[in-house]
Amino acid sequence: MAEFSKLLTKTDIQKRLSLPTKCFKSLPSLKGSHVRDFPAIDENGFVWTFQCSTRKKGHPKPVLSKGWLAFVRHKELKVGDRVKFFKEKDRSGPATPFYRVEAEKEIKIFGAIFGYSPIVAPFP
């Protein structure tokens, strides 16, 4: 089951992935900072490095910036598509979690959303 998922908006496609504050518990610890890079593996086994950050002042809403737009372009994501992040434990080593990321295209039939289909794109 996904740690969190989001239907993509125009801002998510053009600038950064803006996440609800409730996603904090699923993201890597910022360890007293307001920014941290973390890797996520897609369905092809390619490792994407995303940067998670929060505002220094005010509401600490998390966003993914660095690496995010390259992921969007490679997967050809559009408004209405969905992205899912999964947090898993490495069974071969220490209990350090790693992340998986999946993108899904919105499927419409006669203008109605019918469901979502996984995107499997070749390596960048």
Side-chain angles (χ1 to χ4, degrees):
M1 187 166 130
E3 289 290 324
F4 61 91
S5 67
K6 183 173 185 210
L7 294 178
L8 301 177
T9 65
K10 184 176 177 180
T11 297
D12 298 327
I13 298 300
Q14 295 179 348
K15 297 183 181 193
R16 66 194 157 273
L17 179 63
S18 181
L19 299 169
T21 305
K22 66 182 181 179
C23 293
F24 262 131
K25 67 182 183 320
S26 303
L27 294 167
S29 170
L30 296 179
K31 298 180 182 177
S33 177
H34 76 281
V35 64
R36 175 152 185 216
D37 289 355
F38 72 96
I41 301 168
D42 72 10
E43 64 283 342
N44 291 321
F46 185 80
V47 178
W48 297 89
T49 300
F50 299 116
Q51 184 175 78
C52 179
S53 62
T54 62
R55 296 178 185 128
K56 290 182 182 180
K57 295 181 181 180
H59 182 66
K61 186 174 184 164
V63 296
L64 298 187
S65 53
K66 186 182 98 182
W68 171 249
L69 291 179
F71 180 80
V72 168
R73 284 189 299 273
H74 181 72
K75 302 290 183 176
E76 299 178 357
L77 298 175
K78 308 274 187 255
V79 172
D81 291 343
R82 181 167 55 191
V83 66
K84 294 180 180 180
F85 282 85
F86 301 84
K87 184 172 159 181
E88 300 185 2
K89 294 207 185 320
D90 185 354
R91 294 185 179 107
S92 65
T96 303
F98 69 92
Y99 294 84
R100 275 190 312 115
V101 60
E102 293 179 1
E104 298 176 327
K105 285 278 185 200
E106 181 181 65
I107 299 172
K108 286 186 176 181
I109 297 177
F110 299 114
I113 298 171
F114 184 70
Y116 294 86
S117 174
I119 297 171
V120 180
F123 287 120

